[in-house]
């Protein structure tokens, strides 16, 4: 039972990446649109104050804010596509249809039963407009619920076929036929049930927010501690997109979730300072600064004869963390050889976020320096206090360095460059992986006749094609389910394919490749003769 629950959570976690990873792009574009209407910038550079530029900025930021008011639909389609085992495009289209049916079914039922409030009394009523239709305000949870249900129905009935005259009703059509009564019944049931869930969610959000810095610390710590399981974004996603992360009125509209709120505030020139809920998206403090201090400590504590090699390995990993916020190559370098360091890292991440909260820093810092600059510089110091974020980051760079250096020496942890004779802990940069892969592909032949391709090495290290059930990926990891996890060769994956970490949990295997994981996934799918997503 426990294994099935973990497997289900990991599959759900993977599916969440589809909507979660695309939404920050909208935020960055909103920030860029805001640049063209930034009063201080226009005052400094008057030649930019022309209708074509300011109008473009208004259109860009204003149009993208509409994404924030339709997160339910985005999550519904994204999760369905992520969980569908086959025919993903059809699954996404079915999810869209199901969402439309649900919204209108709930509206009609609420109208018949006299549950609808007057249009001018929506605020604070627990109801809202979704695609112009008045229903209960379920926010992103509506998308999650419908996405899960649609994916389940799709996977169960997509292969159903009929003979004779009924043949036309098989496959995807039958999926929709089954889905319609389920969605309508759900709309009726949630009309009565959801207000209790909403009350519980709002109460939980109140408890978390009233717990102050303790809540921020636990949030920051758990967000890092769950990295090995791949479930860490299940911690931050509710805070970014639901009422757990706060509720605020911006420009006459009510927004829920830290990220939704500050996206709306970026686009509203009347906002003079970002809401304090932005702290839930200050998770990049350890990515940009803390882990760099850890890297420097590991370098200084490496054996003298290994320092040149360690420098070549750690610098690309540190740059990736600082620039893009991808931390796993660094974290996996000490996660298994020194778990205590990983726990300390998680605690320091929480402590850094608490420090930002105490100092009332309102800077946006979810990932790396690119996001940080694009968001905060145009908004200015008054709205964000971004220089204080940098100062706190520098302070935690030093704290990480001192703590990691002390603990590595105190407990003689075998971090990179301190391995015993004959052992090697190795990280791979993206460039190293590409070079290795290109060399392999130059001499690519049938694995039974000679040297296998890089994808061939990966497949064989996973126990062979017959041992692999499913292949997928998230932002940085190749995610697989296998028949027998004991056949997985971790050393080959790490030393010959560029993996910076391998996590095995029952039949679930995660291989960490970093930002190049998409190309790795495609190569493996091609080698196995599968269409992507099968």
């Amino acid at each position: 039972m426990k294994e099935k629950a973990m497997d289900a959570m990991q599959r759900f976690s993977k599916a969440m990446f589809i909507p979660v990873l695309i939404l920050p792009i909208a935020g960055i574009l909103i920030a860029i649109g805001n640049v063209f209407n930034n009063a201080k910038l226009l005052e400094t550079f008057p030649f930019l104050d022309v209708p074509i530029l300011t109008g473009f900025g208004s259109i860009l930021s204003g149009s993208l804010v509409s994404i924030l008011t339709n997160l339910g639909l985005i999550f519904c389609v994204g999760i369905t596509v992520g969980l569908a085992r086959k025919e993903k495009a059809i699954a996404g289209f079915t999810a869209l249809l199901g969402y439309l049916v649900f919204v209108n079914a709930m509206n009609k039922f609420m109208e018949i039963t006299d549950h609808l409030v007057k249009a001018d009394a929506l605020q604070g009523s627990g109801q809202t407009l979704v695609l112009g239709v008045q229903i209960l305000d379920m926010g992103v949870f509506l998308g999650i619920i419908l996405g899960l249900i649609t994916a389940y129905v799709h996977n169960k009935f997509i292969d159903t076929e009929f003979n004779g005259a009924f043949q036309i009703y098989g496959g995807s059509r039958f999926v929709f036929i089954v889905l319609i009564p389920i969605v309508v019944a759900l709309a009726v049931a949630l009309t009565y049930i959801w207000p209790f869930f909403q009350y519980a969610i709002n109460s939980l959000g109140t408890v978390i927010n009233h717990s102050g810095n303790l809540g921020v610390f636990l949030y920051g710590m758990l967000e890092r501690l769950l990295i090995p399981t791949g479930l860490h974004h299940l911690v931050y996603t509710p805070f970014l997109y639901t009422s757990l992360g706060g509720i605020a009125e911006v420009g006459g509209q009510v927004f829920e979730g830290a990220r939704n709120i500050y996206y709306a505030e970026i686009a509203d020139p009347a906002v003079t300072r970002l809401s304090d809920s932005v702290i839930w998206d200050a998770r990049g403090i350890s990515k940009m600064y803390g882990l760099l201090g850890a890297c420097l400590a590991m370098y200084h504590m490496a054996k003298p004869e290994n320092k040149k090699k360690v420098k070549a390995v750690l610098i690309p990993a540190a740059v990736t963390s600082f620039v893009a916020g991808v931390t796993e190559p660094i974290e996996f370098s000490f996660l298994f050889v020194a778990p205590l360091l990983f726990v300390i890292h998680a605690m320091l991440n929480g402590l850094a976020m608490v420090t930002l909260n105490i100092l009332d820093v309102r800077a946006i810092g979810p990932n790396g320096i690119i996001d940080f600059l694009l968001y905060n510089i145009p908004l200015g110091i008054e709205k964000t206090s971004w220089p204080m974020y940098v100062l706190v980051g520098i302070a935690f760079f030093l704290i990480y360095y001192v703590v990691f250096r002390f603990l590595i020496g105190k407990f003689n942890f075998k971090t990179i460059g301190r391995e015993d004779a004959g052992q090697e802990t190795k990280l791979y940069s993206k460039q190293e992986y590409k070079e290795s892969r290109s060399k392999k592909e130059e001499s690519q032949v049938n694995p039974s006749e000679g040297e296998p391709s890089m994808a061939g090495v990966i497949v064989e290290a996973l126990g062979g094609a017959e041992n692999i059930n499913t292949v997928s990926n998230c932002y940085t990891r190749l995610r697989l389910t296998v028949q027998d996890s004991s056949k997985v060769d971790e050393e080959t994956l790490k030393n010959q394919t560029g993996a910076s970490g391998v996590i095995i949990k029952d039949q679930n295997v995660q291989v960490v490749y970093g930002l190049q994981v998409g190309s790795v996934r495609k190569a493996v799918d091609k080698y196995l003769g599968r269409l992507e997503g099968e």
Side-chain angles (χ1 to χ4, degrees):
M1 184 66 182
K2 182 179 178 182
E3 293 176 4
K4 288 184 178 180
M6 179 59 70
D7 179 60
M9 287 182 67
Q10 288 181 333
R11 284 188 285 113
F12 173 65
S13 174
K14 176 197 72 174
M16 287 280 282
F17 265 102
I18 293 177
V20 165
L21 292 182
I22 200 65
L23 290 173
I25 304 301
I28 291 174
L29 291 175
I30 289 173
I32 291 173
N34 182 64
V35 170
F36 293 100
N37 289 281
N38 187 291
K40 291 184 179 179
L41 183 66
L42 296 178
E43 184 179 335
T44 306
F45 303 102
F47 64 90
L48 295 176
D49 191 7
V50 293
I52 190 170
L53 291 179
T54 57
F56 171 75
S58 298
I59 293 171
L60 184 62
S61 58
S63 60
L64 286 165
V65 167
S66 64
I67 292 177
L68 309 182
T69 59
N70 292 290
L71 286 179
L73 177 59
I74 292 169
F75 273 79
C76 176
V77 175
I79 289 174
T80 302
V81 170
L83 291 176
R85 297 194 185 100
K86 59 174 63 174
E87 304 283 3
K88 289 181 177 288
I90 292 174
F93 180 64
T94 305
L96 172 61
L97 297 178
Y99 190 88
L100 294 175
V101 170
F102 178 94
V103 168
N104 286 278
M106 176 174 276
N107 174 264
K108 290 300 179 184
F109 182 75
M110 292 178 69
E111 180 182 346
I112 292 170
T113 56
D114 199 29
H115 278 81
L116 293 177
V117 301
K118 293 183 178 180
D120 58 358
L122 279 177
Q123 188 167 338
S125 68
Q127 299 180 21
T128 189
L129 293 178
V130 175
L131 301 177
V133 181
Q134 186 175 331
I135 62 171
L136 291 179
D137 187 1
M138 299 175 63
V140 73
F141 290 109
L142 173 57
I144 294 173
I145 293 168
L146 288 179
L148 291 171
I149 291 173
T150 306
Y152 175 80
V153 174
H154 174 86
N155 289 332
K156 190 171 182 64
F157 296 106
I158 188 62
D159 292 324
T160 301
E161 297 294 345
F162 300 104
N163 297 320
F166 292 99
Q167 187 174 2
I168 192 174
Y169 299 110
S172 61
R173 277 79 63 193
F174 188 66
V175 170
F176 185 56
I177 290 171
V178 174
L179 187 64
I180 291 173
I182 293 175
V183 166
V184 171
L186 184 67
V188 172
L190 286 177
T191 300
Y192 296 104
I193 297 172
W194 182 254
F196 297 101
F197 280 96
Q198 188 62 59
Y199 176 78
I201 292 168
N202 290 339
S203 297
L204 178 60
T206 300
V207 170
I208 292 172
N209 285 306
H210 285 182
S211 63
N213 290 319
L214 176 61
V216 174
F217 174 77
L218 292 175
Y219 171 87
M221 182 175 69
L222 286 173
E223 194 266 335
R224 290 292 92 190
L225 276 180
L226 289 177
I227 281 284
T229 67
L231 302 177
H232 51 293
H233 56 279
L234 295 185
V235 174
Y236 65 75
T237 300
F239 284 85
L240 300 186
Y241 300 110
T242 77
S243 57
L244 287 177
I247 302 173
E249 182 180 344
V250 183
Q253 281 188 287
V254 177
F255 293 90
E256 296 181 351
R259 186 167 283 177
N260 296 335
I261 291 170
Y262 74 67
Y263 281 174
E265 290 175 334
I266 288 174
D268 188 348
V271 175
T272 58
R273 188 162 176 79
L274 298 184
S275 300
D276 56 4
S277 60
V278 75
I279 188 62
W280 304 118
D281 216 8
R283 301 168 291 113
I285 189 78
S286 64
K287 302 175 184 180
M288 287 186 279
Y289 299 100
L291 286 174
L292 270 63
C295 285
L296 185 61
M298 288 189 284
Y299 168 73
H300 283 158
M301 295 302 290
K303 296 176 181 178
E305 63 271 20
N306 292 334
K307 283 193 173 183
K308 186 175 182 180
K309 177 185 69 175
V310 170
K311 183 190 296 185
V313 170
L314 284 180
I315 287 178
V319 170
T320 301
S321 179
F322 180 72
V323 173
V326 177
T327 61
E328 287 160 311
I330 300 174
E331 290 168 327
F332 278 80
S333 71
F334 58 79
L335 171 60
F336 299 108
V337 297
L340 176 62
L341 290 181
F342 188 77
V343 174
I344 295 298
H345 159 51
M347 295 175 66
L348 288 176
N349 186 64
L351 186 60
M353 293 184 65
V354 168
T355 305
L356 292 173
N357 198 41
I358 291 173
L359 296 174
D360 195 33
V361 178
R362 304 290 177 88
I364 304 167
N367 294 303
I369 193 65
I370 295 176
D371 289 350
F372 182 83
L373 294 176
L374 286 173
Y375 279 127
N376 296 290
I377 299 300
L379 291 174
I381 297 174
E382 183 180 350
K383 275 190 179 182
T384 64
S385 303
W386 66 262
M388 186 59 69
Y389 187 105
V390 175
L391 291 176
V392 172
I394 293 172
F396 272 86
F397 168 86
L398 297 173
I399 292 171
Y400 265 79
Y401 173 78
V402 172
V403 171
F404 268 63
R405 181 163 184 165
F406 170 77
L407 292 175
I408 290 170
K410 177 72 174 178
F411 296 101
N412 193 28
F413 288 137
K414 302 300 180 181
T415 51
I416 187 166
R418 292 173 58 83
E419 304 82 18
D420 294 330
Q423 294 182 339
E424 183 179 19
T425 302
K426 190 174 183 181
L427 298 175
Y428 285 79
S429 68
K430 183 175 182 178
Q431 186 60 34
E432 288 175 317
Y433 172 78
K434 284 184 175 180
E435 291 174 357
S436 175
R437 185 181 176 201
S438 63
K439 289 178 182 178
K440 292 286 185 180
E441 289 180 342
E442 285 175 3
S443 59
Q444 182 175 354
V445 294
N446 189 293
S448 63
E449 299 174 357
E451 184 70 20
S453 67
M454 178 61 74
V457 175
I458 294 173
V459 170
E460 291 306 311
L462 291 165
E466 66 282 355
N467 193 46
I468 299 174
N469 292 330
T470 63
V471 183
S472 61
N473 69 280
C474 62
Y475 194 41
T476 57
R477 306 178 187 198
L478 190 66
R479 293 171 176 249
L480 312 103
T481 57
V482 297
Q483 294 279 2
D484 184 358
S485 59
S486 65
K487 294 181 179 179
V488 177
D489 186 347
E490 294 186 47
E491 291 303 313
T492 298
L493 290 170
K494 290 179 181 178
N495 296 329
Q496 295 186 32
T497 75
S500 58
V502 179
I503 306 162
I504 301 174
K505 179 66 176 177
D506 302 318
Q507 292 180 303
N508 294 287
V509 179
Q510 298 180 26
V511 190
V512 182
Y513 284 108
L515 293 177
Q516 71 270 19
V517 69
S519 60
V520 177
R521 157 79 183 281
K522 290 177 182 178
V524 171
D525 277 335
K526 184 177 180 180
Y527 183 87
L528 293 172
R530 302 181 181 185
L531 294 174
E532 188 174 346
E534 286 189 337

